[in-house]
Amino acid sequence: MAIISRDFDAPPGTSAPTLEVPEVVIDRLPQYVRTLTQLLEEGVEVTNSQQLGAQLQVTPAQIRKDLSYFGRFGKQGRGYRVRHLLSELKQILGLDAEWNVAVIGVGRLGNAILNYPGFNPDGFHLVAAFDNNPGNVGTEVGGISVQPMTALANTVADRDITIAIVAVPSAHTQSVVDQLVACGVRAILNYTPINAQVPDGVRVRSIDPVLALQSMTYYLAYQGHPTNGHQTTG
Amino acid sequence: MAIISRDFDAPPGTSAPTLEVPEVVIDRLPQYVRTLTQLLEEGVEVTNSQQLGAQLQVTPAQIRKDLSYFGRFGKQGRGYRVRHLLSELKQILGLDAEWNVAVIGVGRLGNAILNYPGFNPDGFHLVAAFDNNPGNVGTEVGGISVQPMTALANTVADRDITIAIVAVPSAHTQSVVDQLVACGVRAILNYTPINAQVPDGVRVRSIDPVLALQSMTYYLAYQGHPTNGHQTTG
DNA sequence: TAGATTGTTAATCGATTAACAATC
DNA sequence: TAGATTGTTAATCGATTAACAATC
């Protein structure tokens, strides 16, 4: 393998690791952030790959390897300073910034999302809500005034919205996603059970509890064969 | 590789493929089920790995390989009969059965879950709700009378509950999961942002929208580098 | 210093994909 | 039959883990 130059001396916010970091590594970083946050709250000042691995149920080697994509954050013989590693990882993930989020669809699910208090503490601010039902437009949901879909492009630009949460009826998913992409939104959290097609450069993550249940029933159905417990987060 | 005997002639519900099927394959099967269901609704009677792959954004080879773990469901030169393949996959996943589910925690989130209409059509029946707050016990949520946690073991046994959905405050997650495991529950859908520890043989899937957002911000933060769009479902 | 733990390389493991004989 | 597509093997690719020199 060729020597990889990582340009960590470049101005923050403008550079990324030169060689692509595997997506599976990126997906683990938020979990590291969460565990480090917990340790910090417990007053733990120093940790190591062994301890982190035990908490997260991954091997210590994997944690060290994952971190090595981004730099050297520990000290041999000592481990990692929790506060420092946490701060670095948050910066890498862009979690030192605030993100403005739009919710599309204010039905039952959209309502629950807009009233869910769990996004704000992590820097995600629900700043706009849209619905194509005239009866919903103008109502207040979670303290936000619902706008018509026709206002999408302008509001996304005006309010610097970079992330959208889609909670519309399944039949509208692809159309809504297309509109979001056209407005320049490149990160979409999809609460509908539909696989939306997006162009390169746009990320979609789906929240799909039924899918999660449907893979677990496989193991319940074949109780005869002892299987290992396994935990998946998504 | 040794020859693998797959005992598909054994009585249904009592046998599993002799060699372990990779978990990543099991996790894809529900998506195949969903796509096949859509095709069926559209009146498509026959499909093939090419078409399925296009829909699901995976390679045709992967679909054929995944299916080969369980048997031979297609015909060379023709493809797969949608109705037949769908029925086989549902049986493999245990989706031809009905599953009784308990919801633990009837706060804001538990309320939304109990009122969410998306579980029942797929054979998951929310049949019981529990809460440790005496003020909530006895109230009706989503048509279900809330029971105290002390009733858990009895109700799980009486109502044949095999799956639980955890929607309690984070601090209670591990304790609730421990109680569920003690009652014999082996599949848990965890809506809290806590990594619960479970013994072998118990499955946990987490629904964690903040985690999903936090991995997408990485790609938003480094806009300079064009990245491929990618879609994850969990 | 001695002991501990990192960062990194090399080995292993497992999953994906390409290719093609079998066969509908 | 000729054409198409499966089921399966072998090749490739990528991710995880083990091992250890570097070094705090």
Side-chain angles (χ1 to χ4, degrees):
Chain A
M1 188 190 286
I3 291 171
I4 301 162
S5 81
R6 300 198 184 79
D7 43 357
F8 278 94
D9 302 319
T14 62
S15 72
T18 303
L19 199 74
E20 213 56 58
V21 180
E23 180 145 353
V24 68
V25 172
I26 302 300
D27 286 350
R28 278 192 292 264
L29 296 190
Q31 306 188 60
Y32 296 175
V33 165
R34 189 167 277 169
T35 297
L36 289 164
T37 303
Q38 282 165 12
L39 288 174
L40 197 64
E41 281 167 2
E42 292 164 11
V44 178
E45 301 212 329
V46 175
T47 187
N48 54 54
S49 59
Q50 180 91 43
Q51 183 180 28
L52 287 172
Q55 276 288 325
L56 289 152
Q57 297 172 272
V58 301
T59 62
Q62 179 160 84
I63 288 178
R64 297 201 302 276
K65 184 78 160 87
D66 284 355
L67 297 178
S68 77
Y69 284 100
F70 303 98
R72 286 176 293 269
F73 305 111
K75 294 270 179 268
Q76 282 98 329
R78 299 228 169 271
Y80 305 91
R81 277 159 42 224
V82 172
R83 188 183 304 275
H84 174 246
L85 181 55
L86 176 57
S87 147
E88 292 280 357
L89 289 182
K90 282 180 130 175
Q91 207 226 308
I92 288 164
L93 283 170
L95 302 181
D96 50 354
E98 305 288 313
W99 298 95
N100 289 337
V101 180
V103 175
I104 320 296
V106 298
R108 203 197 304 258
L109 189 57
N111 242 277
I113 291 164
L114 284 159
N115 285 299
Y116 174 65
F119 290 114
N120 281 22
D122 282 296
F124 297 102
H125 301 294
L126 309 186
V127 298
F130 299 87
D131 202 290
N132 74 354
N133 179 344
N136 288 330
V137 172
T139 63
E140 287 244 332
V141 179
I144 292 169
S145 174
V146 178
Q147 300 178 50
M149 284 302 284
T150 51
L152 185 69
N154 280 338
T155 303
V156 164
D158 291 351
R159 306 288 327 255
D160 193 23
I161 290 166
T162 48
I163 300 171
I165 297 178
V166 176
V168 300
S170 296
H172 297 152
T173 301
Q174 186 63 55
S175 150
V176 164
V177 165
D178 290 345
Q179 291 174 71
L180 289 167
V181 170
C183 295
V185 173
R186 294 173 61 175
I188 296 171
L189 188 60
N190 177 23
Y191 273 82
T192 80
I194 298 292
N195 240 291
Q197 319 276 324
V198 291
D200 279 5
V202 178
R203 306 260 149 192
V204 179
R205 295 284 135 96
S206 287
I207 298 293
D208 201 324
V210 169
L211 229 47
L213 290 178
Q214 286 179 331
S215 60
M216 288 195 291
T217 53
Y218 172 80
Y219 301 99
L220 294 177
Y222 299 102
Q223 298 263 5
H225 289 248
T227 54
N228 288 328
H230 188 69
Q231 193 153 342
T232 306
T233 294
Chain B
M1 188 190 289
I3 291 170
I4 302 163
S5 81
R6 301 199 183 79
D7 43 357
F8 279 95
D9 300 318
T14 62
S15 71
T18 303
L19 199 75
E20 212 56 59
V21 180
E23 179 146 352
V24 68
V25 173
I26 302 300
D27 286 350
R28 278 192 292 264
L29 294 191
Q31 306 189 59
Y32 297 175
V33 166
R34 190 168 276 170
T35 298
L36 289 165
T37 303
Q38 282 165 11
L39 289 175
L40 197 64
E41 281 167 4
E42 291 163 13
V44 178
E45 302 213 328
V46 175
T47 186
N48 54 53
S49 59
Q50 179 91 43
Q51 183 181 27
L52 286 171
Q55 276 288 324
L56 289 152
Q57 298 172 272
V58 301
T59 61
Q62 179 158 85
I63 289 177
R64 298 201 301 276
K65 185 79 160 87
D66 284 356
L67 296 179
S68 77
Y69 283 100
F70 304 97
R72 286 176 293 269
F73 306 110
K75 293 268 180 267
Q76 283 98 328
R78 299 230 169 269
Y80 305 92
R81 276 157 45 225
V82 172
R83 188 183 304 274
H84 174 247
L85 181 55
L86 176 57
S87 146
E88 292 279 358
L89 290 182
K90 282 180 131 176
Q91 206 227 309
I92 289 164
L93 283 169
L95 302 180
D96 50 353
E98 305 288 313
W99 298 95
N100 289 338
V101 180
V103 176
I104 320 296
V106 297
R108 202 198 303 261
L109 189 56
N111 242 277
I113 290 164
L114 283 159
N115 285 299
Y116 175 65
F119 289 114
N120 281 23
D122 282 295
F124 297 102
H125 301 294
L126 309 187
V127 297
F130 299 87
D131 201 290
N132 72 355
N133 180 345
N136 288 330
V137 172
T139 63
E140 286 243 334
V141 179
I144 292 170
S145 173
V146 178
Q147 300 178 52
M149 284 301 285
T150 51
L152 185 68
N154 280 338
T155 302
V156 163
D158 291 351
R159 307 286 328 254
D160 193 23
I161 289 166
T162 48
I163 300 172
I165 297 179
V166 177
V168 299
S170 296
H172 296 153
T173 302
Q174 186 63 56
S175 150
V176 164
V177 166
D178 290 344
Q179 291 173 70
L180 288 166
V181 170
C183 295
V185 172
R186 294 174 61 176
I188 296 171
L189 188 61
N190 176 23
Y191 274 81
T192 79
I194 299 291
N195 238 292
Q197 319 277 322
V198 290
D200 279 5
V202 179
R203 307 262 147 190
V204 179
R205 296 284 134 96
S206 287
I207 297 294
D208 201 325
V210 170
L211 228 49
L213 290 178
Q214 286 179 331
S215 60
M216 288 196 289
T217 54
Y218 172 81
Y219 301 98
L220 295 176
Y222 298 102
Q223 298 264 4
H225 289 247
T227 52
N228 289 331
H230 188 70
Q231 194 153 339
T232 307
T233 295

